[in-house]
Amino acid sequence: MPTKVTARYVLGHQNGTHVLLEDACVVYSGHTIEYVGHDYAGPVDQERDLGDALLMPGLIDLDALTDIDHLILDSWAGPEQAKGHQWSEDYFLNRRADVFSAGERQQIREYALIQLILHGITTYMPIASEVHSEWAEPFEELVGMADTSRRLGLRGYLGPAYRSGVNVVLENGERSVMFDDGRGHEGLADALRFIDHATVLNDPLVNGVLLPCRIETLDIELLKATAAASDDRDVLVRLHSLQGLVERELILGRHGVTPLELLDQVGLLNERLLIPHATYTDRNPAVYGEDSGDLAMLADSGASIIHCPLTSMRYGSTLDSFGAYKEAGINISLGTDSFPPDLIRGIDAGVQLAKILAGTNDAGDVAGYVDAATLGGAHALRRPDLGRLQPGAQADMVAFSLGDFRDGVHDDPLRTLLLNGTARQAVLSVVAGRTIMADGEIDGVDLELWRSRGQELFHKMRGAYSARDIRNRPADELFPPVYARLER
């Protein structure tokens, strides 16, 4: 029997675009939406009235942090201080090790997935730092994460991250990448093994994809092998690239081409590719300051970018500009890439940055950003049944409360939510027709226990930076407080 969810505002979908309905409902049965509108006269098995809330498609986060937060530590440092956050040459050659046990890694994954649910994410593609691992992500770790994800009810696009090199600080203090090529091909083999594992599971909530690490940490043969595997198995590839000047300089020095040109040369630049950030194209002021063909190249390839506005801003960069990329015809999806996994705050940051870059308030494209968090993500995943509330689509939806006095007045509910709220206002999350969160609670999850455990794991992670630092500085020196702390 169907379930009916009613809210003051519903972001439905008609004729290829989102539309706003007031005092409306969504009716679904099984994993599929049956009705979106104002009046539903048919029988229902269950009803839920959300009151002053916005019910909208579930948010799609394609660079979702599944780790303990490290941005709280490393987004404040200058260039010299930041070198202490990388592996030293000696650590790479002689002392690399896992900071966390296999059991602790599974706890970190569960902690992070709970955070995604509480912030209204229904579909995710994970990202975790390899800095704290002996190399990258083993097959077994992602098998465990898939089990946790299935239990919690999220829709995941998963695979172990792999690389053939590591960003390091050399003994002379310069930044570079040191390689262990065999490890990269072992990692690709694990990634293909996980895709086979996902096929055997035959669970629509677990989808195997290829998730190589940063482009500068992959040797040319591994890049080509990844492209060949993607083509052979018709699976998506997400590869962090076009995200920094150091990356650009390393690629130019090693291969004699830009990162974008390298993607094309190895056969990765196509509709199966997802590129997190993509902030350092030729139109970026730190590169050339004008578009000499990069955007057209991206658009023509069919690749999608994963824009992470809040995280980019926190590291001092931004997409220049959202409007230009959109006008060029590039598919834009969104990611969070840090804590909190709050796409509402991310959209707000992106909208305000777009105004600053363009010098005009009407550059704040709220609809474009909401589309990116829903339809853009669905397009990148090649899933036209996601990212929209309309009959026949997957019953993936999230509701944000707008009934608190602190939410202020209502004009357009999306503007109210972006300007006055956060994703912490999520009060309902449904994936494939299963309610995975209601009123801030997840069945079987003790949030206070996970809050305490997350803090313990964070302290362990923080303390481990010293062993990797070229100067072995203590954590309190690497991550100084805002103000000096006085002892009792």
Side-chain angles (χ1 to χ4, degrees):
M1 291 286 285
T3 296
K4 177 182 177 182
V5 181
T6 303
R8 180 175 177 184
Y9 305 106
V10 173
L11 193 66
H13 196 82
Q14 291 182 10
N15 302 319
T17 185
H18 291 321
V19 292
L20 187 67
L21 296 80
E22 291 198 38
D23 298 318
C25 68
V26 175
V27 179
Y28 59 91
S29 183
H31 58 76
T32 307
I33 294 173
E34 294 186 351
Y35 176 86
V36 180
H38 295 97
D39 301 299
Y40 182 79
V44 295
D45 183 57
Q46 182 178 0
E47 292 190 60
R48 185 188 297 270
D49 188 348
L50 300 173
D52 273 350
L54 169 65
L55 181 63
M56 63 183 294
L59 299 178
I60 300 174
D61 185 348
L62 297 184
D63 210 30
L65 185 72
T66 52
D67 211 342
I68 294 294
D69 183 29
H70 61 84
L71 182 144
I72 196 172
L73 296 172
D74 63 21
S75 62
W76 317 96
E80 287 303 312
Q81 186 84 349
K83 290 179 181 178
H85 307 159
Q86 302 289 331
W87 286 18
S88 67
E89 183 177 357
D90 174 62
Y91 186 82
F92 171 85
L93 292 172
N94 303 309
R95 297 184 291 109
R96 60 193 194 217
D98 289 322
V99 172
F100 299 108
S101 69
E104 288 171 330
R105 288 298 303 170
Q106 291 304 321
Q107 291 178 335
I108 288 170
R109 299 295 197 179
E110 185 158 358
Y111 172 90
L113 294 180
I114 291 168
Q115 294 282 4
L116 294 180
I117 293 172
L118 293 173
H119 286 85
I121 306 300
T122 56
T123 297
Y124 74 100
M125 191 177 284
I127 177 68
S129 174
E130 302 84 23
V131 168
H132 318 295
S133 299
E134 183 270 337
W135 192 255
E137 294 175 347
F139 166 79
E140 293 78 11
E141 184 172 320
L142 268 293
V143 169
M145 181 180 174
D147 291 343
T148 301
S149 186
R150 295 173 75 196
R151 170 166 50 84
L152 293 173
L154 283 163
R155 188 185 302 278
Y157 284 76
L158 311 176
Y162 57 93
R163 59 183 177 177
S164 49
V166 181
N167 285 282
V168 299
V169 178
L170 302 176
E171 294 299 331
N172 62 9
E174 293 181 359
R175 289 278 302 276
S176 186
V177 177
M178 299 186 74
F179 288 90
D180 186 345
D181 295 346
R183 296 298 297 270
H185 290 275
E186 289 172 7
L188 175 58
D190 265 2
L192 296 175
R193 185 181 168 200
F194 182 84
I195 290 171
D196 292 337
H197 174 73
T199 301
V200 171
L201 285 179
N202 194 30
D203 185 338
L205 297 187
V206 177
N207 305 272
V209 291
L210 294 172
L211 302 179
C213 301
R214 304 165 64 109
I215 188 172
E216 74 273 20
T217 66
L218 277 68
D219 67 81
I220 191 77
E221 294 306 319
L222 187 56
L223 286 166
K224 290 179 179 178
T226 297
S230 170
D231 181 57
D232 180 56
R233 295 178 177 241
D234 190 30
V235 294
L236 300 172
V237 179
R238 190 194 63 197
L239 177 58
H240 283 70
S241 46
L242 316 179
Q243 66 172 336
L245 292 177
V246 172
E247 169 209 291
R248 186 179 179 90
E249 292 165 3
L250 289 169
I251 296 296
L252 280 167
R254 189 181 310 137
H255 303 289
V257 295
T258 68
L260 183 58
E261 291 168 337
L262 182 61
L263 290 171
D264 190 33
Q265 284 186 10
V266 299
L268 280 168
L269 192 60
N270 55 50
E271 72 283 354
R272 295 185 299 276
L273 180 66
L274 287 67
I275 306 175
H277 307 301
T279 46
Y280 282 82
T281 58
D282 53 18
R283 68 169 285 122
N284 187 297
V287 182
Y288 294 128
E290 61 181 31
D291 184 15
S292 59
D294 280 4
L295 297 194
M297 191 173 178
L298 279 168
D300 292 344
S301 73
S304 297
I305 71 164
I306 306 172
H307 180 27
C308 305
L310 187 60
T311 296
S312 291
M313 181 178 72
R314 287 169 163 178
Y315 284 115
S317 68
T318 188
L319 193 70
D320 190 1
S321 67
F322 183 89
Y325 280 62
K326 181 181 173 183
E327 186 176 344
I330 299 167
N331 181 58
I332 306 173
S333 58
L334 292 190
T336 50
D337 195 27
S338 66
F339 186 85
D342 189 330
L343 281 179
I344 302 304
R345 289 178 67 183
I347 291 171
D348 185 36
V351 166
Q352 308 314 326
L353 286 168
K355 294 178 186 179
I356 294 170
L357 287 168
T360 174
N361 282 350
D362 60 4
D365 185 2
V366 174
Y369 268 92
V370 173
D371 284 353
T374 52
L375 301 173
H379 180 84
L381 297 173
R382 303 184 295 180
R383 292 290 302 267
D385 59 337
L386 299 180
R388 66 207 72 204
L389 298 183
Q390 67 178 31
Q394 287 286 302
D396 288 16
M397 63 196 77
V398 61
F400 296 100
S401 173
L402 296 173
D404 193 291
F405 178 79
R406 292 164 292 187
D407 296 326
V409 298
H410 297 190
D411 178 30
D412 185 291
L414 281 161
R415 291 197 182 108
T416 294
L417 178 61
L418 294 183
L419 291 173
N420 300 346
T422 75
R424 293 186 183 187
Q425 291 162 226
V427 291
L428 178 71
S429 186
V430 177
V431 178
R434 172 186 168 186
T435 298
I436 63 172
M437 183 274 290
D439 299 321
E441 296 185 358
I442 303 169
D443 282 347
V445 173
D446 184 339
L447 295 180
E448 183 57 30
L449 181 150
W450 281 107
R451 187 191 70 81
S452 175
R453 185 59 180 140
Q455 192 66 41
E456 293 170 359
L457 293 164
F458 170 77
H459 283 308
K460 185 172 185 178
M461 178 189 75
R462 182 180 185 271
Y465 276 88
S466 300
R468 298 187 295 267
D469 176 27
I470 191 171
R471 290 165 47 193
N472 299 121
R473 287 166 287 184
D476 286 347
E477 185 177 340
L478 286 172
F479 311 113
V482 176
Y483 295 108
R485 292 177 177 169
L486 297 182
E487 300 297 328
R488 288 178 63 87

